[in-house]
Amino acid sequence: MDLLHFLIVCPLVFLAGFVDAIAGGGGLISLPAYLLAGLPVHNAIATNKMSSAMGTALTTWRYAQSGYVNWRLAPLCVLCAFLGSAGGANLALLISEDVLRALLLVILPLTGLYVLRSQSLNSAARPPGQISGGNPRRVGLLAALAAFFIGIYDGFYGPGTGTFLILLLAGMTQMPLTKANGLTKIINLTTNLAALLVFLLNDQVLLPLGLAAGCFSVAGNYLGARCFSSHGAAIARPIILLVLAIFFIKIVIEFF
């Protein structure tokens, strides 16, 4: 690592934290930031988990303080998210860097298409509708399944996890949006910590860069939460798409 790594990663991770607090999807900026700096794929995914966990911890605490976390559903979701994310992280370690880069050539355009077409970046700031959470057992089962399978994805790759969770929890379970957001933060923090533990045990995390970027992530999350408004999410989509486009071009050049 050198100074250039910090100069590239830290500002973009700050931006990722800001966007994540407003509309979710911060990982769509933060992971490409590490890869744009030239880090190997495994180190980039691993170190991104450290900075993401630090930023997500702040927003999780704020949501809990605001009463947005359903504590009856949280324990089972945390368990499923931990198991899924740990499994996904171990799977990522088994795959070579060349294969991961090839997968990124497929994942990135699909992610960009999702960001372009998704309404979640417009609706994440809206107040909850007058809908109930549905049958408690059904809601609990669906939330646990979402936590497990999205946990696998987050441990393996990660970007977009928060947005995917909000869509699933609010859509499949008819959970009010504030509660979906609160439970999402608990699940996302768990998946980050589980994957981080696996990567730490396998010596993949670049600690100085991860800790420095984590401080920027915390600052971005804090500022984003303070700037949150019903129109704030409008800035998230163009920022994410720009970073994804730059990152995709870089991957194509390196791969071919």
Side-chain angles (χ1 to χ4, degrees):
M1 290 186 300
D2 55 36
L3 181 61
L4 184 61
H5 290 107
F6 289 85
L7 292 177
I8 293 174
V9 169
C10 290
L12 286 173
V13 169
F14 171 85
L15 183 62
F18 181 83
V19 169
D20 200 57
I22 292 175
L28 297 170
I29 297 174
S30 61
L31 180 57
Y34 286 100
L35 292 164
L36 282 170
L39 271 64
V41 175
H42 291 106
N43 295 123
I45 294 174
T47 310
N48 181 55
K49 292 303 178 188
M50 171 168 280
S51 58
S52 296
M54 291 173 65
T56 304
L58 174 69
T59 52
T60 300
W61 178 79
R62 291 179 66 88
Y63 272 84
Q65 290 291 102
S66 300
Y68 294 159
V69 177
N70 186 327
W71 293 110
R72 290 183 301 170
L73 296 178
L76 180 59
C77 289
V78 164
L79 175 62
C80 291
F82 187 93
L83 294 174
S85 183
N90 278 291
L91 179 62
L93 290 171
L94 295 175
I95 296 177
S96 71
E97 183 166 333
D98 288 339
V99 173
L100 278 175
R101 288 190 180 276
L103 288 174
L104 289 178
L105 290 176
V106 178
I107 292 173
L108 285 173
L110 293 176
T111 303
L113 181 63
Y114 163 77
V115 172
L116 191 63
R117 301 190 60 174
S118 174
Q119 296 300 310
S120 64
L121 295 178
N122 293 329
S123 62
R126 293 201 309 245
Q130 301 300 314
I131 55 176
S132 68
N135 181 276
R137 290 186 178 180
R138 175 179 174 274
V139 170
L141 176 61
L142 290 174
L145 288 173
F148 179 73
F149 286 107
I150 297 297
I152 294 175
Y153 168 76
D154 193 32
F156 179 78
Y157 180 57
T161 294
T163 309
F164 296 148
L165 278 169
I166 291 173
L167 286 174
L168 288 173
L169 293 175
M172 294 190 343
T173 70
Q174 293 189 325
M175 192 180 297
L177 197 56
T178 50
K179 294 293 186 181
N181 260 307
L183 191 57
T184 288
K185 294 303 178 186
I186 289 286
I187 294 171
N188 205 0
L189 177 60
T190 302
T191 58
N192 280 331
L193 291 175
L196 176 61
L197 177 61
V198 172
F199 289 127
L200 282 171
L201 291 175
N202 287 274
D203 198 28
Q204 295 293 322
V205 181
L206 305 177
L207 290 174
L209 181 59
L211 291 171
C215 293
F216 278 81
S217 179
V218 169
N221 273 274
Y222 178 77
L223 183 61
R226 289 181 62 88
C227 294
F228 184 83
S229 69
S230 59
H231 302 291
I235 68 172
R237 180 180 281 109
I239 293 172
I240 291 172
L241 289 174
L242 177 61
V243 174
L244 282 176
I246 295 172
F247 176 44
F248 182 72
I249 292 171
K250 180 179 184 294
I251 291 293
V252 169
I253 292 172
E254 291 180 350
F255 189 80
F256 292 106

